[in-house]
Amino acid sequence: MAEEKQTIFSGMQPSGFITLGNYLGALRNWTQLQEEYQCLYCIVDLHAITVRQDPASLRRQSRELLMQYIAAGLDPEKNIVYVQSHVPAHAELGWVLNCFTYMGELSRMTQFKEKSQKHADNINAGLFTYPVLMAADILLYQTDLVPVGEDQRQHLEITRDIALRFNRLYGDVFKIPEGYIGKVGARVMALQQPDKKMSKSDENKNNTIALLDDPAVIRNKFKKAMTDSENEVRYDPEHKPGVSNLLSIYCAVTDQTMAEAEREFANVGYGNFKAAVGDAVVEKLLPIQKKVAELDKNKDYLEAVLKTNAERANAIAQKTLRKVHKKLGFLPRG
Ligand code: TYM
C-alpha cells in the first residue's frame, strides 16, 4: 500500500549541466529507491538563484534536468518529479523556518563560506539562508530519508536541528529525516584536480564530465585526467587521489567492487586504464543521452509531467504547511 511506504526527498540545482558527480552521488541511487519508497525529486530552481543565473539558460537547464531525471530511470508516475517554484509551500515554510534558525549556525555552513568566497560581489541573504530553504524542502513532505552526496551532510544536520527545535516548541510537527549517503560515488573528485570535488560550476571543463557530454569528449577528458608518477593502479585516496578517483568512478559505473577493479588493472598502464574508465562511463551514459534526445522531442509530455507532479507535491505540502500555521497561531485560510 502506497500509504505505508516511507518518504524520500531529494533535489538538484538546475544551475549548470549536471555532472557525473551528481549522477553517481545522487541520481543513480534515486533510481534504485523508487520501488520501495514514496519519492519526491525536485528541481530546485529557488536555490539556484542564490547565485546569478541567466534566465534563458536557467529555463533550458531546468528542462534538461527534468529530462535527465527521467532518462536516468526515474519514472514520473511512480515518483513525484517537479519544479520547486511550482509549489509555493517551499518558500512559505522557508520563511517560517528562518524565524527558527540562528545566524550563528548558518555562519558555520562550509558551503556558504565557499560560495561567498567564490561570489564575493554577490553575498546575498538568500545564499546565507539557503540551508533553511533546504530544510523546508525536506520537512514539508515528512521525509524519512534524504539521498545525497557527501557534500550535503552539514545541510542535513542543520535540517534535523531546526526540526527538533520546532518540535520541542510546538509538539510533533515534523518527522526527523535521516541522510542516505551511498558508499561508492558519494564524492566524485575533479579529474584534473582530484583534491577537490567535481562541481558543475567549475570553470575548467576538463575537471567535470557532464552527463550530456559527447562520448568523444568524455573519452578525451578521461585521457587527460590527472594520475601520479607511479604506474600502479591501486586504491589509496591519500597518496594516489587521481587514480583512486578513477577507480571509484569505474566501480560505480560497472558495479564492481574495488578489489575486483584493482585485480582487473593489476598490470595495466595508466594510459589503458584511463581509456577503460572512459569507455565504461560512456557505456553507462550513452543510453541516458539517447533517452534525453527522445524526450526532447516531446514537449507536451514534459509539460504534462510537470503539471501533474506539481499538483501531487502541492497536496502533500499543504498538509504540513496547514499544520505549521495552526501551531504558530495563524488564522485559518477561509
Ligand atoms: P547540488 O545540485 O549541488 O547536487 C545535487 C546532488 O549531487 C551530489 N553531488 C555529488 N555527489 C558526489 N560527488 C560529487 N562531486 C557531487 N557533487 C554534487 C550532491 O550531494 C547532491 O546530492 N543543496 C542541494 C540541493 C537541494 C537538496 C534539497 C538536496 C536543495 N534542497 C533537499 C536534498 C534535499 C545541492 O546544492 O545539490
Side-chain angles (χ1 to χ4, degrees):
M1 291 288 284
E3 286 74 27
E4 288 163 13
K5 286 185 175 175
Q6 288 200 320
T7 299
I8 284 199
F9 182 95
S10 200
M12 271 187 207
Q13 296 192 63
S15 53
F17 300 105
I18 65 164
T19 69
L20 188 62
N22 299 131
Y23 176 68
L24 296 180
L27 186 51
R28 185 183 59 127
N29 295 335
W30 300 356
T31 62
Q32 293 162 0
L33 297 164
Q34 58 188 339
E35 303 297 334
E36 278 175 62
Y37 295 88
Q38 141 105 295
C39 303
L40 295 110
Y41 294 118
C42 192
I43 294 166
V44 295
D45 52 358
L46 298 179
H47 278 96
I49 60 162
T50 52
V51 304
R52 291 280 174 265
Q53 302 290 338
D54 165 59
S57 308
L58 185 60
R59 243 186 312 274
R60 188 178 33 139
Q61 285 155 198
S62 301
R63 197 167 165 273
E64 248 165 26
L65 190 51
L66 171 68
M67 293 193 285
Q68 289 175 88
Y69 277 4
I70 300 173
L74 291 183
D75 178 342
E77 285 185 12
K78 282 194 194 130
N79 305 276
I80 304 182
V81 180
Y82 70 104
V83 174
Q84 191 182 26
S85 63
H86 294 180
V87 180
H90 288 254
E92 292 183 70
L93 184 62
W95 172 258
V96 170
L97 297 182
N98 265 320
C99 303
F100 294 87
T101 308
Y102 298 113
M103 304 285 281
E105 55 190 343
L106 288 174
S107 10
R108 286 194 292 274
M109 295 290 116
T110 29
Q111 209 158 79
F112 170 69
K113 289 186 208 161
E114 277 166 19
K115 284 201 177 169
S116 40
Q117 262 175 12
K118 203 165 162 197
H119 305 276
D121 55 337
N122 180 23
I123 307 178
N124 60 70
L127 196 60
F128 189 62
T129 60
Y130 180 113
V132 184
L133 180 59
M134 181 158 160
D137 300 341
I138 296 168
L139 300 177
L140 261 183
Y141 299 96
Q142 305 293 347
T143 301
D144 295 280
L145 220 54
V146 187
V148 283
E150 183 64 47
D151 62 345
Q152 297 299 315
R153 197 184 280 280
Q154 204 183 22
H155 288 162
L156 290 181
E157 271 159 26
I158 196 174
T159 299
R160 289 167 58 90
D161 290 345
I162 297 170
L164 286 166
R165 183 174 304 143
F166 197 93
N167 283 356
R168 258 197 310 275
L169 289 165
Y170 297 102
D172 232 5
V173 178
F174 297 122
K175 174 96 56 86
I176 309 301
E178 300 283 340
Y180 172 100
I181 298 176
K183 285 193 189 71
V184 186
R187 193 169 172 82
V188 177
M189 309 306 277
L191 294 184
Q192 306 215 321
Q193 289 160 281
D195 55 335
K196 65 172 199 180
K197 72 165 186 178
M198 186 180 282
S199 158
K200 48 175 129 59
S201 57
D202 202 318
E203 266 144 38
N204 177 1
K205 293 297 162 220
N206 285 325
N207 263 336
T208 58
I209 300 288
L211 236 58
L212 299 182
D213 268 348
D214 195 74
V217 172
I218 296 178
R219 289 197 175 93
N220 199 27
K221 286 182 182 175
F222 276 105
K223 253 185 222 157
K224 288 198 252 174
M226 184 180 185
T227 48
D228 51 55
S229 56
E230 294 178 6
N231 205 14
E232 191 192 354
V233 180
R234 172 167 55 83
Y235 186 73
D236 180 353
E238 202 181 318
H239 302 106
K240 296 167 74 68
V243 169
S244 304
N245 187 38
L246 295 174
L247 269 172
S248 300
I249 292 174
Y250 187 76
C251 288
V253 295
T254 59
D255 285 322
Q256 286 193 43
T257 64
M258 193 52 80
E260 284 166 346
E262 280 182 328
R263 223 172 297 131
E264 182 177 344
F265 296 112
N267 293 307
V268 176
Y270 282 170
N272 288 338
F273 165 56
K274 291 198 279 186
V277 181
D279 287 343
V281 170
V282 167
E283 198 177 312
K284 189 81 189 174
L285 298 188
L286 207 53
I288 299 177
Q289 298 187 347
K290 287 192 175 139
K291 190 87 209 289
V292 167
E294 272 169 39
L295 286 165
D296 202 17
K297 294 183 204 136
N298 208 339
K299 197 164 167 257
D300 292 348
Y301 169 71
L302 296 174
E303 270 170 20
V305 163
L306 286 184
K307 184 166 183 293
T308 353
N309 280 320
E311 282 163 8
R312 290 165 74 198
N314 197 46
I316 308 173
Q318 280 305 327
K319 274 195 204 156
T320 303
L321 194 65
R322 264 200 301 274
K323 196 165 158 190
V324 168
H325 282 185
K326 193 170 171 198
K327 292 281 185 185
L328 290 168
F330 291 176
L331 288 174
R333 292 184 194 182

